[in-house]
Amino acid sequence: MTETLDRAELTIELTGPVVRADHVQVDGRAELVAALDRPADAVIRTDSGLFARLCGGRTTAREHAERIEFSGDPELAQRLVDNLAFTI
């Protein structure tokens, strides 16, 4: 991301085949947490296979927009899915 995100709470809901919800709290740095302190600023909902491909940089969110649902702040959610790819 080109802009820094000072404070936000996000939820990523995976719909299958792996079903789970991950909560991310950003306060300068992002941290995976068991629960959020308040309702999420943005929620992203997609299937776990697509999520893995996005994180691995194998595809882009724009190529699969119809398979990704947002609620809350759509700009924040879009920024998150556009920047999921990482390398190890």
Side-chain angles (χ1 to χ4, degrees), residues 16-33:
V18 175
V19 178
R20 66 191 246 188
D22 290 321
H23 306 290
V24 179
Q25 193 170 51
V26 179
D27 191 2
R29 291 185 59 115
E31 176 183 10
L32 193 61
V33 295

Side-chain angles (χ1 to χ4, degrees), residues 8-61:
E9 298 199 0
L10 311 139
T11 296
I12 301 169
E13 294 179 354
L14 302 181
T15 59
V18 175
V19 178
R20 66 191 246 188
D22 290 321
H23 306 290
V24 179
Q25 193 170 51
V26 179
D27 191 2
R29 291 185 59 115
E31 176 183 10
L32 193 61
V33 295
L36 299 176
D37 295 337
R38 56 187 171 79
D41 297 307
V43 177
I44 295 142
R45 193 171 299 105
T46 192
D47 68 83
S48 58
L50 178 56
F51 182 74
R53 292 179 63 218
L54 291 167
C55 289
R58 299 293 185 192
T59 192
T60 66

